[in-house]
Amino acid sequence: MAGQMKDEIEIRPTKPEDLGDIEALYGAAFPDEDLFPLVNELLAGSDRLLSLAAVQNKRLVGHVIFTYCSVEPCGRVVALLGPLCAAPANQKQGVGSKLVRRGFEQLDAIHAMVLGDPAYYGRFGFKADDLVETPCPIPSEWKEAWQSVRLGGDMDEKLAGTLVVPKAWNDPALWSS
Ligand SMILES: CC(C)(COP(=O)(O)OP(=O)(O)OC[C@H]1O[C@@H](n2cnc3c(N)ncnc32)[C@H](O)[C@@H]1OP(=O)(O)O)[C@@H](O)C(=O)NCCC(=O)NCCS
């Protein structure tokens, strides 16, 4: 029983002292892409966000950021999901799912948006969105990867406009490679 408890994955807000572990995690999870500068800028800045860590046996095994953004001109607040990662040795064990679902519970927004693989994000209810425009152009073949999910509110209400993101996210390279 004690062994089982030890292996449990705890989801908690990140702390400033997690930064070194977060940098190592991103290096391992994204060998071909350096997303740590984005993460570092978001965590160091004053933009509103939700940053969650997955911890197992005191080790940081996963991380996600939801950044609060707005859809203009209506001004509706939405949460942009990303980056999300699980340590290579801990993938396909529910770490990513736990981070996303806990985020959904804690977010103060009725929509979340993501640019990611529909085969993964579909399980959380994300569907391709062609009413909200991305802040920077995305390749046409990624159209289905730009997705949204409603977390609450009036199901009939349609959200439309352009996503306006904080400076850290306003880099065309993040949306096209
Ligand atoms: C993508 C990622 C976050 C998923 O987290 P995870 O903890 O491994 O995933 P979960 O255990 O919650 O879910 C596992 C399921 O997702 C599927 N899955 C995992 N990565 C996937 C991907 N890139 N595309 C499609 N499906 C994927 C698995 O096949 C598995 O499917 P099943 O439930 O049908 O068996 C993780 O694999 C990762 O960090 N990958 C490298 C970085 C990355 O690509 N991040 C996402 C973009 S920001």
Side-chain angles (χ1 to χ4, degrees), residues 34-111:
D34 190 5
L35 286 173
F36 183 69
L38 168 68
V39 170
N40 195 23
E41 189 176 343
L42 286 169
L43 295 180
S46 56
D47 296 306
R48 234 180 120 214
L49 50 82
L50 176 65
S51 169
L52 297 175
V55 179
Q56 189 180 40
N57 298 337
K58 299 195 177 154
R59 274 187 53 240
L60 198 138
V61 295
H63 179 240
V64 68
I65 295 182
F66 292 88
T67 306
Y68 288 101
C69 304
S70 66
V71 172
E72 301 298 342
C74 67
R76 179 75 78 186
V77 174
V78 300
L80 176 63
L81 192 173
L84 165 70
C85 67
N90 299 81
Q91 290 176 3
K92 301 195 180 182
Q93 295 168 18
V95 171
S97 301
K98 279 202 169 75
L99 285 163
V100 172
R101 293 190 203 280
R102 184 64 57 83
F104 282 4
E105 286 166 20
Q106 296 188 358
L107 284 171
D108 181 19
I110 60 169
H111 278 91

Side-chain angles (χ1 to χ4, degrees), residues 6 32 41 46 48 65 69-71 75 81 99 117 120 129-130 133 141-142 145 158:
K6 247 178 90 186
D32 304 327
E41 189 176 343
S46 56
R48 234 180 120 214
I65 295 182
C69 304
S70 66
V71 172
L81 192 173
L99 285 163
D117 189 339
Y120 184 65
D129 190 313
D130 58 6
E133 280 182 44
E141 62 272 23
W142 288 9
K158 292 265 182 283

